[in-house]
Amino acid sequence: MKAVQLSRFGAPDVLDIIDIPAPVAGPGQALIRVRAAGVNFFEVLMRADRYAVTPDLPMMLGVEVAGVVEALGDGAALPIGARVAIPLFAAGRAGGYADYVAVEAASAVPLPEGLSFDDACALMVQGLTALHLVQRSRPEGKTVQVTAAAGGVGSLLVQLAKRAGARRVIAAASSPAKRDLALALGADAAIAPGGAGWAAALGEATGKAGLDIVYDFVGGALTSACLDELAPGGELVFGALGRLDLDTARLETVFARNQSLRGFALLPLLTPTNLRPDLEELFTLAADGALQVVKGGGYPLGAVAEAHRAMESRATTGKVVLVP
């Protein structure tokens, strides 16, 4: 079978397409024919050795797949041909950029009718991230801002924050097309992040009351800009690992205004108790049309470098997937 291997850090072209034997389903396992594999921005950073943690090489990328059950090991109870999603990341696994994966059958989550493989991938890392954000930092009755609002997390977070009762959702997105998309998804206002006019646009969008919550998955200089517009007592939720750029003086200002800076990392929040119900909730919302998944493009496995290049250019919206 074909699979993608990262053997050295660098530009997208360092991703190698290799031939390896297809896995065999062992006891309690299922062999899944991959129909879609999610591509995540943290994998782009990891490939370039710009992530918060440097992985050991060589390694296989890909932490979420959706596909079809093709074979079962002893003791595995799944129908052959079942359409399932596999959140590999929840088990600390990777290797989803491939034609097949062998996984514990118990980790497979059935897909409802009407939900595509591509959409299922979008609702794993990104969907669970957006869901846990609104569960932990509740937007009900508040004015909130979503950075990268047209991306995989942001496009879902805009919708889930509105469903959770946010008074106003302010989308920050880098291009007019992305801002239009955020508005179509339910944002009350959409502005360009940082730069000239940022403060005035936010003041108009919030009635000069400031932001109660900022969900920040961009980091860098934008974090300070967001803090400037955060209301006294407001909360900035930071999920851009490796991209925090705040000095001590800036943090002291946060404390003096009774603001809070809250970190967000998905994996520690996932438990055997909440993982499956949360995915089932997201899958049902999307299948019923209550949650729109924004498609960022599907690339053949052999074009994985092109997929990474598109994400790295920040030209994409929504979820990018590989379609082996």
Side-chain angles (χ1 to χ4, degrees), residues 19-319:
D19 286 297
I20 58 175
V24 175
Q29 291 189 325
L31 179 66
I32 309 298
R33 174 68 170 95
V34 176
R35 295 294 181 84
V39 180
N40 294 287
F41 192 69
F42 78 84
E43 293 163 341
V44 171
L45 295 174
M46 191 175 287
R47 186 212 72 233
D49 198 19
R50 292 190 286 121
Y51 192 53
V53 177
T54 297
D56 294 329
L57 300 183
M59 69 172 296
M60 303 293 187
L61 294 175
V63 298
E64 55 190 352
V65 301
V68 176
V69 177
E70 287 219 346
L72 298 171
D74 292 342
L78 278 175
I80 298 295
R83 301 169 65 252
V84 296
I86 311 294
L88 295 169
F89 55 90
R93 284 194 53 190
Y97 290 12
D99 291 327
Y100 293 91
V101 295
V103 299
E104 297 302 315
S107 69
V109 181
L111 302 186
E113 290 297 324
L115 184 69
S116 70
F117 296 117
D118 293 10
D119 287 0
C121 281
L123 295 169
M124 284 188 271
V125 171
Q126 280 78 24
L128 288 170
T129 296
L131 184 64
H132 278 273
L133 283 167
V134 299
Q135 289 174 346
R136 289 172 58 79
S137 296
R138 296 188 177 276
E140 183 178 0
K142 297 180 178 180
T143 297
V144 307
Q145 179 177 269
V146 177
T147 65
V153 173
S155 60
L156 296 169
L157 183 54
V158 165
Q159 298 173 75
L160 291 174
K162 290 293 288 186
R163 285 182 60 84
R167 181 171 66 245
R168 285 181 66 76
V169 175
I170 314 300
S174 59
S175 71
K178 290 181 177 182
R179 294 193 287 275
D180 288 344
L181 172 61
L183 291 170
L185 293 173
D188 297 286
I191 61 178
W198 160 264
L202 265 178
E204 182 179 349
T206 66
K208 299 189 183 302
L211 299 162
D212 298 311
I213 302 175
V214 173
Y215 301 106
D216 179 19
F217 274 72
V218 175
L222 185 60
T223 303
S224 287
C226 290
L227 285 171
D228 288 339
E229 306 308 323
L230 194 64
E235 176 183 13
L236 186 141
V237 186
F238 188 83
L241 290 180
R243 286 170 280 159
L244 181 61
D245 185 18
L246 298 178
D247 59 22
T248 301
R250 196 68 183 83
L251 289 174
E252 288 177 349
T253 301
V254 168
F255 302 148
R257 300 185 72 202
N258 294 305
Q259 296 167 334
S260 58
L261 177 63
R262 183 174 194 170
F264 181 90
L266 178 63
L267 287 181
L269 304 177
L270 302 179
T271 70
T273 302
N274 67 26
L275 177 61
R276 183 177 291 266
D278 284 349
L279 283 176
E280 290 173 345
E281 176 184 350
L282 290 165
F283 289 170
T284 300
L285 285 172
D288 291 346
L291 185 64
Q292 181 180 340
V293 174
V294 178
K295 300 181 187 301
Y299 295 80
L301 196 64
V304 62
E306 183 181 345
H308 270 233
R309 197 171 290 114
M311 289 196 73
E312 202 160 23
S313 72
R314 303 280 189 171
T316 61
T317 58
K319 183 65 175 181

